[in-house]
Structure formats: C-alpha cells, structure tokens
Amino acid sequence: MAGPGLFELNAVVAVATHRSFRKAAADLGMSASALSHAIAALEQRLGVRLFNRTTRSVSLSEAGEQFLGRVRPALREIAEAMDSVNAFRNTPAGTLRLNTSDGAAILVMPMILAFLARYPDMQVDLITEGRFVDIVADGFDAGIRTADAVPQDMIAVPCTGALRFVLAGSPGYFERHPRPLSPADLPSHVCIRTRIPGGGVHYNWDFEKHGEAVEFEPRGPLSLDNHHLMIEAALGGIGLIWITEGFAAPHISDGRLVQVLADWTPAWPGLALYYPGHRHVPAGLRAFVALVREMHKAA
C-alpha cells in the first residue's frame, strides 16, 4: 500500500484544525467536496476512520487523534527543512500565515503591502477573525493583536503606537438625542453594539477620566462584528458607535460623524506582532519582523 502524500497529510491537519471541511477547503484553496473525497480515500487506504462526521460537526476519532499527534510534528519538521533552504537564497520565499482581527488588519496593511513589494517571492495568507486563537495549534506563523492581549510566552514586536477608541454618532442622530456629557448619560442613548464572533457576548465600552474608570454595557437594537458595517450604521443615524479612532477619523473630519465624550476616551496599548520564541522562525517571518521593526521605528 502506498503511503499518504504531503497533500493528504496537510488535509488531515487542516480539517482537524478547523473542525470543518468547508473552512479547511477554503484554507487549502479547493472545494469542500474534493477535500471530503480525499480524506475518505485516505481513510479507506488506512483502513480506519480518522474523523467522526455528522451533519453539524466534524471531530477526530481516537485513531485520528493518534494519527494527528504523529503527523503534525512531522509536517512541521518538513516545513522547517524546506524553509532552511531559504538561507541560500538572496530573498525569502514561501507563504506567511498571519492571524489578526478585522480592525487590526486595516492598520497593519501598509506593512504587509511593503513586505510583498520588498519580497516578491513571498505570499501572505491573512486571516481576520474576532476570536482570539492559538496561533501554534491553528497553524499560523504569527498573530497581530493589541499588546496587552499577547500571551506571555510569545515574543511581541510593536506594530503601532497607542490606539484610541472614539464614541460618535451622526449629526442626524444628535438632532433627536442630546449629546452625552458623561458616561452616566449613555443609558438613555441608542447604542450599536460590537459582538464578539462565535457567541452572543458583546464588548463593553471603557471610559476613564482623571483616574475614574467607568465600564458601560451598551444597549441597542443592532449588534455587528464588522467595523465597516458599524460605520455605515452610525452614518445612517441608527445610534452611537464605539470604534477605533482610525476608522472614524475620516468621517469625523468631514462632519458626517460627531465625536462625543472625547475627554473620557484614553489611549490603549497599540498593536503587536507576536510569535512563539521556542520554535524555528521561518525566513519569511524573520524578514517580516525586521520590516515591522523598521517601519514602526520610522513612524
């Protein structure tokens, strides 16, 4: 019996990571049906079922857990061996897999574009999601989050300066509602809530002034997990939004949004690129780290 190829092994890892054939197929750049057939063919050749499938979920079988435990480290060794060849190239080549949030992606996109321009043999696979993931377990080279959210066992490289959230609404909204003078006025306002992806939990709004901290739980008819949709909703006069300054600034400057409680919105830690320090650092990631340091220092 011929042994499984690298494609099949990577397919097993992808399905195990995403717990979904559809998401794993998108990650691998193929159709879900083709991936399902490939896994089924591998299971038939091995004579064991690697995954338990229902119409609603995918999970590893006991045999699959053992198989993955041996395969994942082996694939990592192979990837590191292939990457070591990059040391003999003038410029790195390969794929850099990054995980970040929707909002952070906009802020670091200039760095990614500069990286691709400098290293044309590199590719960047950027995944944006609100939930915080284990970048090692999910197969990412690095993550980008606010500096205070980086796990302590990771190496962190600053990407941006401090970030500031703003509270804003449209002029039309404030024609119908008085402008709040303090967080105590917010319960009477309509709020556009930010939903944490993967559940019904929403982010609270944090204010601070002269050492007094206030955490407000927003209430309103609309919950969103996309910054651009939040801006559109606020521009439409639905309610107030609590959003990163960079997203709201252009609309505030042209008068389509009005900022309120500016003296209650302090700066928060900026973004940081982070990656595990105990693993081999691929050449592409080393080059990206160097560029991030360079651009952050020049900013």
Side-chain angles (χ1 to χ4, degrees):
M1 178 184 68
L6 284 178
F7 164 74
E8 293 166 305
L9 299 181
N10 279 310
V12 171
V13 172
V15 175
T17 298
H18 293 287
R19 295 290 196 271
S20 163
F21 278 90
R22 181 181 59 81
K23 292 180 180 179
D27 191 16
L28 295 170
M30 61 188 301
S31 69
S33 61
L35 177 59
S36 180
H37 287 311
I39 294 294
L42 175 61
E43 290 176 325
Q44 185 175 7
R45 288 162 58 194
L46 294 175
V48 296
R49 180 173 291 276
L50 299 175
F51 293 97
N52 298 315
R53 306 166 177 81
T54 69
T55 56
R56 305 181 67 178
S57 66
V58 177
S59 62
L60 284 164
S61 66
E62 183 179 356
E65 290 278 4
Q66 291 189 23
F67 186 71
L68 183 68
R70 301 289 295 273
V71 165
R72 181 171 265 157
L75 287 176
R76 187 174 299 131
E77 287 288 334
I78 293 171
E80 291 177 2
M82 296 177 67
D83 181 70
S84 66
V85 178
N86 268 328
F88 298 92
R89 296 174 53 92
N90 291 328
T91 59
T95 300
L96 180 65
R97 299 192 73 238
L98 302 174
N99 180 280
T100 188
S101 65
D102 177 64
I106 299 298
L107 298 176
V108 299
M109 187 56 67
M111 293 179 173
I112 293 174
L113 297 180
F115 176 72
L116 292 174
R118 181 176 296 183
Y119 302 106
D121 293 332
M122 286 296 302
Q123 297 178 345
V124 174
D125 188 4
L126 180 66
I127 306 298
T128 60
E129 49 192 329
R131 68 186 182 94
F132 197 87
V133 305
D134 183 335
I135 60 171
V136 175
D138 287 0
F140 292 99
D141 294 301
I144 302 172
R145 300 283 169 167
T146 55
D148 59 343
V150 174
Q152 293 184 355
D153 60 344
M154 295 284 175
I155 295 176
V157 180
C159 293
T160 70
L163 299 177
R164 187 180 300 273
F165 280 80
V166 300
L167 182 66
S170 70
Y173 174 84
F174 288 120
E175 289 177 1
R176 306 188 306 273
H177 302 84
R179 298 189 186 188
L181 301 179
S182 77
D185 298 329
L186 292 178
S188 64
H189 282 268
V190 180
C191 302
I192 299 169
R193 300 190 294 174
T194 306
R195 182 172 60 83
I196 300 176
V201 181
H202 297 80
Y203 287 105
N204 288 342
W205 298 354
D206 296 309
F207 300 93
E208 184 179 335
K209 182 179 180 181
H210 302 320
E212 178 186 357
V214 176
E215 183 176 7
F216 173 69
E217 183 179 355
R219 297 290 180 181
L222 183 60
S223 299
L224 299 168
D225 63 2
N226 180 282
H227 289 73
H228 300 289
L229 293 178
M230 293 171 64
I231 289 289
E232 289 301 317
L235 292 174
I238 298 298
L240 300 178
I241 56 170
W242 173 259
I243 198 166
T244 308
E245 185 177 35
F247 283 93
H251 307 288
I252 293 174
S253 64
D254 66 18
R256 295 202 296 159
L257 287 179
V258 177
Q259 182 179 1
V260 293
L261 300 187
D263 55 340
W264 278 92
T265 53
W268 300 96
L271 297 176
L273 171 75
Y274 66 95
Y275 58 95
H278 61 276
R279 290 173 52 190
H280 167 77
V281 180
L285 178 56
R286 290 198 303 271
F288 186 62
V289 168
L291 184 139
V292 167
R293 293 185 189 276
E294 174 188 325
M295 294 187 67
H296 178 60
K297 183 178 180 180

